[in-house]
């Protein structure tokens, strides 16, 4: 059975028809061609598919696309500020918070949500904020350093902050 859904993805209103069994991650990647969100485990274990749904980090591999009807969705493609990369993206580059890159999109989104809620987290808060996002390459220290760098250089960033603020406005 198909459902028409209306969502705002990365600030753009999208109305699409989705099968009732279609997962959000597949809708984003295949229907909307936003391939930055990765499919890692299909069981919500790794966090590579993390997106923000109404400002909450959400593992899109376990959410039906039809269930986000009326929501705002932010993917890794929506993190960049108008002038370039967000502070979180710049932090991952500056502090080498990635290696193979597979988990990076989910880490970036989760870190953005963390910094929107906690602009100056300590290392423990960063580790807790990224809990549920697995990196098999880095050992996490450079990821923590990347998020700390971002906190010191602009936090969540303008695009993400605007998205999160809009999601929090009463309907």
């Amino acid at each position: 059975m198909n459902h028409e859904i209306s969502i705002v993805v990365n600030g753009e209103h999208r109305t699409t028809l989705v099968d009732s069994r279609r997962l959000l991650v597949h809708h984003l990647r295949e229907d909307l061609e936003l391939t930055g969100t990765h499919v890692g485990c299909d069981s919500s274990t790794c966090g590579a598919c993390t997106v923000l749904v109404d400002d909450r980090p959400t593992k899109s591999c376990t959410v039906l696309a039809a269930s986000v009807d009326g929501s705002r969705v932010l993917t890794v493609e929506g993190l960049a500020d108008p002038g370039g990369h967000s502070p979180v993206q710049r932090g991952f580059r500056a502090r080498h918070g990635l290696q193979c890159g597979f988990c990076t999109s989910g880490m970036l989104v989760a870190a953005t949500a963390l910094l929107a809620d906690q602009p100056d987290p300590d290392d423990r808060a960063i580790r807790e904020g990224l809990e549920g996002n697995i990196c098999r390459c880095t050992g996490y220290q450079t990821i923590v350093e990347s998020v700390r760098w971002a906190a010191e250089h602009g936090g969540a960033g303008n695009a993400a902050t605007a998205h999160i603020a809009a999601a929090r406005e009463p309907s």
Side-chain angles (χ1 to χ4, degrees), residues 29 33-39 48-49 75-77 101-102 104-106:
R29 289 182 57 79
E33 298 180 356
L34 296 169
T35 58
T37 302
H38 293 155
V39 179
C49 67
T75 70
V76 68
E77 289 91 347
F102 195 78
T104 304
S105 59

Side-chain angles (χ1 to χ4, degrees), residues 17-61:
L17 200 59
V18 295
D19 182 278
S20 60
R21 298 166 295 176
R22 187 114 171 119
L23 292 172
L24 179 58
V25 69
H26 297 300
H27 180 58
L28 293 169
R29 289 182 57 79
E30 297 162 20
D31 303 335
L32 303 182
E33 298 180 356
L34 296 169
T35 58
T37 302
H38 293 155
V39 179
C41 64
D42 284 326
S43 64
S44 79
T45 303
C46 74
C49 67
T50 302
V51 298
L52 297 184
V53 176
D54 293 333
D55 82 338
R56 291 182 317 274
T58 304
K59 293 181 179 177
S60 62
C61 73

Side-chain angles (χ1 to χ4, degrees), residues 90-112:
R90 291 193 321 269
F92 270 66
R93 182 176 181 188
R95 295 293 183 242
H96 309 287
L98 60 116
Q99 284 186 14
C100 81
F102 195 78
C103 71
T104 304
S105 59
M107 289 283 186
L108 290 169
V109 172
T112 298

Side-chain angles (χ1 to χ4, degrees), residues 119-132:
D120 188 26
D122 60 18
D123 287 3
R124 181 179 177 160
I126 293 170
R127 289 179 184 280
E128 288 174 1
L130 298 178
E131 206 171 65

